[in-house]
């Protein structure tokens, strides 16, 4: 075996046996029907395996498990004949392997230490999934997430996981919603409305509740599609409205507001609207944080701001933390949660807010003082602050 391949095999053997391998990515495949292959450690029946997932050009994803003890040699042998690039991501640093068109292999090893073990994901663990992958759901077929036989379409797997996780997070706080009577639910900036249909299904079919649900979005074509899909599914109490959420008013008091990936300040408009409607529960996953990137003026943080990638992360976190604090000052208890595996998408923070009627005026004004002080520190005037002042 070539010296470089031996080096790759040693790196893989060490990180697999230490459990510090987070993910590997094989890219630039020689077989053009493959886009890339990723690998991660998994426990199945008590045994650790490396699960490879190959993403195919036709949209399919193929899975193969390799015993942990055999994985390092098998992956190392794939370069350069099957793939021309390998990235090994570990908790102790990353390693990049590149091979030239002539087959010369270069190893850029930035693994500083063997790293801490990440718990391998378990296939055996009983997960609290609301939607069962083996079942057929008409609404998922309608939305193109499952095929006509009820099998999740490979390229929609991540959407399926996202929907399921969203429902799990809703299920966790379901008890906070009124236990009797009709529930009013609004999906603000609903887009193609995967979640709207999923939440409708969850509340009506799983929880057997009478609900009145609204999906609101500016885009005429998606709303037309959603109206037709709701009709085909017989989701009679699901109404779609084409318009600006600022102007939207439900016919009855709203209990639950959901919103996924409302871009930039659209999330602030959603939150202001939800607060104005006194929604008992708000589930909001923000997206594209541009506002603070333009406003931030905080000399003590200049050492972070000078690195644009870190400035973005700082602004993302600070924007959502400020939103959480402003919600607290309106009497909500707020948790910031991870929606799905952060490796799948960076747009992954969910703000879950539950209106706490027992919260005192003093607690709310303390949160507001903290919020104003934090805005002053960052030198920002967030859209949410402006909207709630109006
Ligand atoms: C990134 S998409 C997300 C759509 C959907 N929630 C999803 O996750 O698939 C954001 C949506 O917000 C809508 N939007 C932005 N501002 C809006 C506003 N003020 N009123 C209504 N819809 C708005 C856009 O039309 C777009 O469909």
């Amino acid at each position: 075996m070539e010296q470089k391949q031996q080096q790759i095999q040693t790196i893989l053997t060490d990180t697999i046996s230490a459990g510090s391998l987070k993910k590997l990515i094989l890219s630039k495949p020689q077989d053009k029907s493959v886009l890339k292959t990723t690998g991660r450690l998994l426990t199945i029946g008590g045994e650790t395996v490396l699960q490879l997932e190959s993403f195919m050009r036709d949209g399919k994803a193929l899975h193969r498990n390799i015993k942990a003890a055999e994985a390092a040699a098998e992956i190392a042998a794939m370069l350069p004949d099957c793939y021309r690039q390998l990235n090994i991501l570990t908790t102790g640093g990353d390693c990049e392997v590149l091979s030239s068109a002539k087959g010369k292999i270069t190893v850029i090893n930035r693994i500083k230490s063997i790293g801490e073990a990440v718990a391998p994901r378990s296939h055996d663990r009983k997960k609290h999934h609301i939607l069962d992958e083996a079942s057929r759901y008409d609404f998922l077929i309608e939305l193109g997430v499952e095929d006509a036989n009820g099998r999740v379409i490979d390229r929609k797997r991540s959407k399926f996981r996202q929907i399921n996780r969203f429902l799990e997070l809703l299920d966790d706080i379901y008890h906070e919603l009124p236990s009797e009577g009709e529930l009013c639910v609004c999906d603000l900036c609903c887009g193609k409305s995967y979640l709207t249909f999923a939440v409708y299904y969850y509340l009506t079919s799983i929880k057997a509740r009478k609900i009145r649900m609204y999906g609101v979005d500016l885009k005429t074509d998606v709303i037309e599609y959603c109206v037709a899909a709701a009709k085909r599914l017989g989701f009679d109490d699901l109404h779609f409205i084409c318009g600006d959420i600022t102007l939207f008013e439900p016919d009855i008091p709203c209990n639950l507001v959901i919103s996924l990936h409302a871009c930039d300040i659209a999330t602030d408009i959603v939150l202001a609207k939800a607060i104005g409607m006194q929604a008992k529960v708000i589930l909001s996953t923000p997206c594209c944080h541009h506002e603070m990137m333009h406003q931030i003026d905080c000399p003590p943080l200049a050492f972070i701001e000078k690195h644009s990638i870190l400035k973005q992360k700082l602004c993302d976190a600070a924007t959502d933390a400020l939103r959480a604090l402003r919600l607290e000052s309106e009497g909500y208890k707020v948790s910031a949660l991870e929606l799905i595996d952060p490796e799948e998408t960076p747009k992954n923070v969910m703000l879950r807010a539950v209106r706490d009627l027992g919260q005192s005026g003093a607690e709310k004004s303390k949160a507001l003082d903290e919020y104003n002080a934090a805005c002053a520190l960052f030198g920002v005037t967030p859209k949410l602050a402006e909207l709630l002042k109006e």
Side-chain angles (χ1 to χ4, degrees):
M1 181 182 261
E2 274 217 10
Q3 195 196 345
K4 290 292 166 87
Q5 279 165 323
Q6 186 60 57
Q7 186 188 354
I8 301 164
Q9 185 172 330
T10 304
I11 292 169
L12 284 167
T13 304
D14 290 349
T15 55
I16 291 173
S17 56
S20 58
L21 177 73
K22 290 195 290 186
K23 187 177 183 180
L24 62 83
I25 306 157
L26 287 151
S27 52
K28 302 193 179 151
Q30 304 288 7
D31 175 353
K32 295 303 171 208
S33 65
V34 184
L35 291 172
K36 67 170 181 178
T37 294
T38 60
R40 61 178 81 222
L41 296 173
L42 205 70
T43 8
I44 301 178
E47 189 191 2
T48 302
V49 298
L50 180 75
Q51 181 168 81
L52 295 185
E53 184 172 24
S54 295
F55 298 88
M56 312 302 287
R57 204 163 283 282
D58 63 4
K60 295 203 171 83
L62 307 178
H63 296 89
R64 186 162 72 88
N65 297 331
I66 312 174
K67 285 185 183 167
E70 295 162 12
E74 197 168 319
I75 298 296
M78 289 182 188
L79 282 116
D81 292 342
C82 304
Y83 296 88
R84 283 182 42 205
Q85 184 167 340
L86 166 65
N87 290 77
I88 305 168
L89 315 183
T90 83
T91 55
D94 300 340
C95 172
E96 186 168 52
V97 183
L98 304 165
S99 90
S100 70
K102 290 186 179 158
K104 182 175 177 292
I105 295 179
T106 309
V107 179
I108 306 160
N109 189 359
R110 297 195 197 89
I111 299 178
K112 302 239 177 326
S113 68
I114 204 68
E116 284 174 20
V118 269
R121 290 150 191 242
S122 175
H123 251 193
D124 310 328
R125 189 161 50 104
K126 186 88 190 113
K127 289 188 185 152
H128 169 54
H129 285 334
I130 308 288
L131 302 176
D132 169 16
E133 205 176 319
S135 300
R136 184 182 186 284
Y137 299 96
D138 287 343
F139 78 94
L140 289 180
I141 297 174
E142 176 66 44
L143 296 172
V145 176
E146 286 187 345
D147 66 19
N149 300 315
R151 182 181 167 278
V152 176
I153 293 169
D154 289 326
R155 68 191 149 72
K156 291 290 183 183
R157 264 179 198 286
S158 141
K159 183 50 86 179
F160 180 82
R161 283 194 287 272
Q162 186 191 56
I163 293 172
N164 230 350
R165 176 74 178 138
F166 198 97
L167 293 183
E168 284 165 37
L169 294 171
L170 169 58
D171 194 58
D172 286 348
I173 45 81
Y174 173 74
H175 62 277
E176 300 282 359
L177 293 167
S179 58
E180 282 175 6
E182 188 178 25
L183 283 178
C184 177
V185 185
C186 301
D187 184 346
L188 304 181
C189 300
C190 61
K192 198 180 164 192
S193 300
Y194 292 99
L195 282 187
T196 333
F197 286 98
V199 169
Y200 186 93
Y201 172 83
Y202 165 80
L203 289 172
T204 56
S205 298
I206 299 179
K207 295 293 181 188
R209 294 297 298 266
K210 167 104 184 99
I211 74 166
R212 195 176 304 189
M213 184 155 187
Y214 299 90
V216 187
D217 201 285
L218 285 171
K219 291 186 185 150
T220 318
D221 54 343
V222 285
I223 290 296
E224 279 169 8
Y225 163 82
C226 293
V227 168
K231 196 163 180 208
R232 285 191 289 272
L233 288 163
F235 283 10
D236 297 335
D237 296 313
L238 175 52
H239 311 283
F240 286 98
I241 290 152
C242 185
D244 193 318
I245 56 167
T246 319
L247 305 173
F248 164 72
E249 291 301 334
D251 296 335
I252 55 172
C254 175
N255 307 108
L256 168 65
V257 166
I258 62 171
S259 185
L260 180 70
H261 298 159
C263 307
D264 196 20
I265 58 166
T267 287
D268 299 294
I269 303 174
V270 167
L271 296 178
K273 190 80 200 173
I275 292 168
M277 294 194 292
Q278 302 192 333
K280 179 74 204 281
V281 175
I282 306 168
L283 302 179
S284 164
T285 295
C287 160
C288 324
H289 304 66
H290 301 308
E291 187 190 45
M292 193 187 278
M293 282 292 278
H294 301 304
Q295 289 190 4
I296 188 167
D297 179 9
C298 182
L301 295 179
F303 70 103
I304 300 179
E305 283 184 54
K306 72 180 183 185
H307 304 287
S308 60
I309 186 170
L310 299 179
K311 180 181 177 188
Q312 183 68 63
K313 284 179 191 288
L314 170 74
C315 291
D316 290 4
T319 301
D320 289 337
L322 282 172
R323 285 169 173 156
L325 196 50
R326 191 65 183 88
L327 281 159
E328 282 169 18
S329 71
E330 294 291 334
Y332 284 85
K333 281 215 160 91
V334 187
S335 341
L337 307 162
E338 213 150 58
L339 182 56
I340 46 170
D341 186 338
E343 282 175 19
E344 290 197 28
T345 172
K347 307 168 187 175
N348 203 25
V349 171
M350 175 194 273
L351 296 178
R352 187 165 72 182
V354 178
R355 197 154 168 258
D356 176 11
L357 294 173
Q359 207 166 70
S360 68
E363 283 171 304
K364 289 191 228 174
S365 55
K366 181 169 172 278
L368 189 56
D369 289 346
E370 227 182 297
Y371 176 79
N372 288 331
C375 289
L377 171 71
F378 282 100
V380 294
T381 310
K383 182 75 179 171
L384 184 57
E386 271 177 26
L387 290 167
L388 292 175
K389 233 184 234 168
E390 283 167 9

